[in-house]
Amino acid sequence: LSNTLWALATLGRRGEHPAFVRDALQAATPMLGRFNQQDLASTAWALASLGQDHREFMVALRDAAATRLGEFTPQALSNMAWALATLGHMDDPCFTVSLLQAAVPRLPEFSPQALSNTLWALAKDSTASDFGGLLGYDADVTPSYAAFVRAALAEAAPKLASFSPQNLANTAWAMAALGHVDAEFLGELARAAAPRLGGFSPQNLANTLWALATLGRGGSDSGDDDGEFVDGLVREAALKLRGFSPQELANSAWA
């Protein structure tokens, strides 16, 4: 069942065969206790990639995964976080903390995409995004979130040259959404991204401009060295304006 759903998602069948997916999940639900870590993560990833949200099943899957996160590979941890955040089910702080605690000692094994996707998922998580940048949140949760972000960025820094434009933009966006200011890391990200701006999509450009502005970087009065990078972003955005969505145009204009 897990492999079949994964195959549908890999083939790009987004939004297709909803009746089949529903029936497959009904059959899978009583079997979740027998799913291994790869089955759990692949099923979650497939549903998110297919754009098919079945909350009752996803909560059951999340519960089945909760006691087994220590068995997950780095890729499975990242896929699980990305899938739950994409479908809006990273809303259980206890599960999120457990996932982050399982991930931290494995961060050296995370690929650039896994690092970027997990940071993005944490920022996308409505509970994380609503607490104002790691401040004023439940004292039992905030340290785990903050510790993960610091550790993930430390692991990402020497790997930035291997990050894709999407990974770079998502990492910048995640930092801004979480309110996590790290001037040194942002400088390294800008240096890695600057020669590759031609590969940034309109969404990547808009998200990076928004992130820098949100974090107070790159403005004429910011006192940092990111102005040249922002100028490069703006020049590249001007060449691709026809590809911007209304929201991306609004975010870029605000930045």
Side-chain angles (χ1 to χ4, degrees):
L1 285 171
S2 172
N3 287 345
T4 302
L5 290 170
W6 176 88
L8 278 177
T10 301
L11 290 170
R13 304 298 186 183
R14 185 175 178 82
E16 298 182 21
H17 310 297
F20 172 80
V21 172
R22 183 184 62 248
D23 292 345
L25 297 185
Q26 287 177 348
T29 299
M31 300 168 57
L32 284 173
R34 305 207 303 270
F35 276 36
N36 62 32
Q37 54 88 16
Q38 186 62 48
D39 295 333
L40 292 166
S42 293
T43 302
W45 178 88
L47 289 174
S49 297
L50 290 167
Q52 299 198 37
D53 183 15
H54 297 263
R55 179 168 180 80
E56 186 175 343
F57 177 82
M58 288 301 296
V59 171
L61 184 148
R62 186 181 67 193
D63 291 345
T67 59
R68 305 175 62 185
L69 289 171
E71 304 170 18
F72 278 49
T73 65
Q75 188 63 54
L77 288 167
S78 177
N79 284 351
M80 179 65 73
W82 178 84
L84 290 172
T86 297
L87 293 174
H89 300 310
M90 281 271 282
D91 52 1
D92 180 345
C94 291
F95 177 85
T96 302
V97 168
S98 295
L99 187 149
L100 298 181
Q101 290 174 339
V104 167
R106 308 291 300 277
L107 283 175
E109 303 170 60
F110 274 54
S111 68
Q113 183 173 6
L115 287 167
S116 171
N117 283 356
T118 309
L119 285 165
W120 177 89
L122 187 59
K124 183 75 163 53
D125 169 16
S126 60
T127 45
S129 299
D130 287 346
F131 66 88
L134 307 176
L135 297 174
Y137 196 58
D138 188 300
D140 293 330
V141 176
T142 303
S144 296
Y145 278 58
F148 175 82
V149 174
R150 287 193 297 270
L153 294 182
E155 191 62 42
K159 299 177 179 178
L160 285 172
S162 300
F163 275 49
S164 70
Q166 181 81 47
N167 299 155
L168 292 166
N170 281 356
T171 300
W173 179 88
M175 292 178 68
L178 290 165
H180 186 89
V181 180
D182 183 333
E184 183 177 353
F185 181 87
L186 283 172
E188 293 176 6
L189 186 148
R191 285 188 287 277
R196 304 169 62 193
L197 291 178
F200 275 54
S201 68
Q203 184 181 42
N204 298 157
L205 292 165
N207 284 353
T208 306
L209 283 165
W210 177 85
L212 291 172
T214 299
L215 293 170
R217 305 289 296 181
S220 59
D221 59 349
S222 63
D224 57 66
D225 298 323
D226 297 332
E228 186 175 344
F229 178 55
V230 171
D231 289 344
L233 286 165
V234 171
R235 285 193 298 270
E236 192 63 36
L239 298 173
K240 298 176 178 176
L241 278 179
R242 291 183 181 275
F244 277 60
S245 70
Q247 185 63 58
E248 290 160 1
L249 287 170
N251 286 352
S252 300
W254 174 84

